Amino acid sequence: MGRLRTAVLISGRGSNLQALIDAARDPTYPAEIALVVSNVPGAFGLERARQASIATKIVDHKNFPDRESFERALDGLLREHKIEFVCLAGFMRLLTPAFVTPWLDRLINIHPSLLPAFKGLHTHERALAAGVRFTGCTVHFVRPATDDGPIILQAAVAIRPDDTPDSLAARVLEAEHQIFPAALALVAEGKTRIEKEIVRIEGHNPPGPILFNPALN
Ligand code: GRF
């Protein structure tokens, strides 16, 4: 069976895109990154895609009168390239149901928090301000509401007393780079099923011990 033809939508530095590109270099990885689309012309992620000889396209939202026409252009491009699956990797535009519905269950996103906590922007500042002991990241199927939808994989990151938003972001990002390729692989291998908006994973293997932060002595 062929690999899942996947597009990655970006707006910026593209470190998650890089993690997906690196994973897909392995010919046994079940998805191939066939197209990278940015809504920001100078996004560094475009350079990463070019380095990997992946087709790139720019769909600059500023060139469109409204969201509808922007999304129509995006959708047309994906179809033109025979894309079967879409990953949002730091794609900073909200997508309306007009785009999301036709791609339902074929569209996933990475978010830098343990959803449903801290939807939206500035997640690390908000986690620190709330004094939570753990934060992390989530890969989920996209639904029309922002940062909402069935959760595929999460990684928890313990917060340290001396963390700044930047230090925390760096540790969460490392986790992002692990769970995004892992989540895409699970979906591409057909190991996920969505039942009543809950993702069931074939061979689900939960981690062992309960974690404490601060650790209990
Ligand atoms: C990541 O933290 C991602 O979770 C969020 O935006 C950031 C994008 O980083 N949605 P990069 O462009 O993948 O480096």
Side-chain angles (χ1 to χ4, degrees), residues 44-88:
F44 183 64
L46 290 168
E47 191 47 43
R48 297 179 190 267
R50 286 184 204 114
Q51 289 287 331
S53 307
I54 295 168
T56 59
K57 292 282 174 189
I58 295 163
V59 184
D60 186 347
H61 59 280
K62 292 191 186 128
N63 294 339
F64 295 86
D66 48 34
R67 267 183 210 279
E68 265 180 23
S69 52
F70 166 68
E71 290 182 352
R72 255 201 315 274
L74 210 53
D75 183 76
L77 195 60
L78 297 173
R79 289 177 198 283
E80 208 177 287
H81 284 256
K82 307 217 175 330
I83 294 302
E84 301 169 298
F85 199 84
V86 180
C87 293
L88 305 179

Side-chain angles (χ1 to χ4, degrees), residues 17 20 22 29 73 86 90 95 113 119 132 142 151 161 184 186 202:
L17 164 66
L20 294 171
D22 292 346
Y29 188 77
V86 180
L95 293 167
S113 78
K119 295 179 176 181
V132 293
V142 173
I151 291 168
L184 175 59
L186 285 172
E202 195 186 304

Side-chain angles (χ1 to χ4, degrees), residues 17-152:
L17 164 66
Q18 188 70 58
L20 294 171
I21 291 174
D22 292 346
R25 271 205 184 104
D26 178 345
T28 65
Y29 188 77
E32 67 165 312
I33 311 303
L35 177 68
V36 172
V37 185
S38 173
N39 67 311
V40 176
F44 183 64
L46 290 168
E47 191 47 43
R48 297 179 190 267
R50 286 184 204 114
Q51 289 287 331
S53 307
I54 295 168
T56 59
K57 292 282 174 189
I58 295 163
V59 184
D60 186 347
H61 59 280
K62 292 191 186 128
N63 294 339
F64 295 86
D66 48 34
R67 267 183 210 279
E68 265 180 23
S69 52
F70 166 68
E71 290 182 352
R72 255 201 315 274
L74 210 53
D75 183 76
L77 195 60
L78 297 173
R79 289 177 198 283
E80 208 177 287
H81 284 256
K82 307 217 175 330
I83 294 302
E84 301 169 298
F85 199 84
V86 180
C87 293
L88 305 179
F91 183 68
M92 300 305 282
R93 300 299 293 172
L94 297 178
L95 293 167
T96 74
F99 182 89
V100 172
T101 308
W103 287 96
L104 206 73
D105 301 346
R106 297 185 299 146
L107 176 61
I108 64 176
N109 179 48
I110 184 138
H111 182 75
S113 78
L114 290 174
L115 289 174
F118 308 121
K119 295 179 176 181
L121 297 175
H122 310 297
T123 53
H124 307 303
E125 285 88 336
R126 287 157 60 212
L128 290 174
V132 293
R133 297 293 188 240
F134 292 95
T135 185
C137 47
T138 304
V139 180
H140 64 96
F141 286 103
V142 173
R143 295 294 181 255
T146 309
D147 298 327
D148 189 42
I151 291 168
I152 304 164

